[in-house]
Amino acid sequence: MILSPSMLSSDFANMQAELEALEAAGLKWVHLDVMDGNFVPNITFGPPIIKAMRKRSNLFFDCHLMIEDPGRYIQDFADAGADLICVHAEACTHLERVCAQIADAGCKPAVSLNPHTPVESIKYLLPQLHMVLLMSVNPGFGGQKFIPFTMDKLRDLKAMIRDAGCDTLIQIDGGVTPENTAELVSAGADVLVSGSAFFGHPPYDERLKTFEAAAAQAK
């Protein structure tokens, strides 16, 4: 289980200190939620902020683009220091082309699916995807409750990946807590995004251990 804390729930006034604290606590990934106020009803940050963060951190930058027509900005996010770029299937007219753009820019390609979007929609893209992100809340704001039917989607996606003979990772974002971590990992989740359930419970090294202990209970 890889834990990727969402900076959306961090202290924006002290982002350098937050990044340093995550590394010191033993985290390897960090989740960067980019919102444009169009695809989702919120605005966060873009390439300039990520570029500034990159200068202060060696963490794996897991960039989740919740923006319209993300293909216009792939190179900008790659240049800013993204390691993985995740785009929404619902925001791309030509999704395969955008995934190829991400790979060509030197980043790992990933696709996110909103709660209502069936996993079958990305079946034929699996061989070229490093990861699929299943949204377990409607995107746009932190602190929402986990949508229960995500568990069924997760099991279906895991079976689809297995049948395709791929090693694509599955990420879950939204309402992830230590209380549901074991069930998520048991069902096939590889990467868990946690915002308020992580940053709201310092110290970070102890919170990471809590998530890891929960994951160890997976069947």
Side-chain angles (χ1 to χ4, degrees):
M1 187 274 296
I2 298 170
L3 186 63
S4 189
S6 171
M7 289 297 287
L8 185 63
S9 296
S10 70
D11 181 357
F12 275 19
N14 295 286
M15 293 181 79
Q16 179 177 343
E18 292 278 50
L19 290 168
E20 291 172 350
L22 292 175
E23 287 195 55
L27 275 301
K28 303 300 182 185
W29 285 38
V30 66
H31 191 77
L32 305 178
D33 289 302
V34 178
M35 306 182 190
D36 64 358
N38 290 307
F39 183 70
V40 292
N42 197 2
I43 298 174
T44 54
F45 49 78
I49 299 298
I50 293 174
K51 185 176 182 180
M53 294 169 68
R54 179 81 286 169
K55 294 177 181 178
R56 299 290 186 268
S57 177
N58 293 313
L59 290 167
F60 183 88
F61 279 10
D62 162 24
C63 294
H64 179 194
L65 306 189
M66 287 172 272
I67 64 177
E68 294 285 359
D69 194 9
R72 296 174 294 169
Y73 305 106
I74 298 303
Q75 193 62 53
D76 293 330
F77 283 99
D79 291 343
D83 293 296
L84 176 149
I85 297 177
C86 183
V87 297
H88 271 262
E90 304 86 0
C92 300
T93 302
H94 303 288
L95 183 58
E96 191 280 335
R97 180 186 298 167
V98 176
C99 292
Q101 279 183 262
I102 296 170
D104 289 344
C107 298
K108 297 182 184 300
V111 170
S112 180
L113 303 177
N114 278 341
H116 70 279
T117 304
V119 296
E120 289 77 14
S121 64
I122 46 90
K123 177 179 179 180
Y124 298 108
L125 282 178
L126 286 177
Q128 69 189 84
L129 297 180
H130 182 75
M131 188 179 78
V132 176
L133 165 54
L134 296 182
M135 290 301 302
S136 42
V137 299
N138 288 294
F141 296 97
Q144 298 183 65
K145 291 184 178 180
F146 184 89
I147 296 175
F149 67 66
T150 306
M151 294 304 305
D152 294 327
K153 286 186 68 176
L154 173 54
R155 295 186 184 96
D156 290 346
L157 177 59
K158 189 67 176 181
M160 195 167 73
I161 291 172
R162 183 172 58 247
D163 291 345
C166 298
D167 56 1
T168 312
L169 299 176
I170 301 176
Q171 184 178 69
I172 304 295
D173 183 2
V176 173
T177 68
E179 289 69 33
N180 60 17
T181 289
E183 185 179 10
L184 289 167
V185 174
S186 294
D190 303 292
V191 185
L192 301 181
V193 176
S194 183
S196 55
F198 178 85
F199 282 101
H201 299 269
Y204 298 157
D205 58 342
E206 292 299 322
R207 195 58 172 169
L208 173 59
K209 291 176 183 177
T210 299
F211 272 93
E212 289 177 336
Q217 301 303 312
K219 297 178 181 179

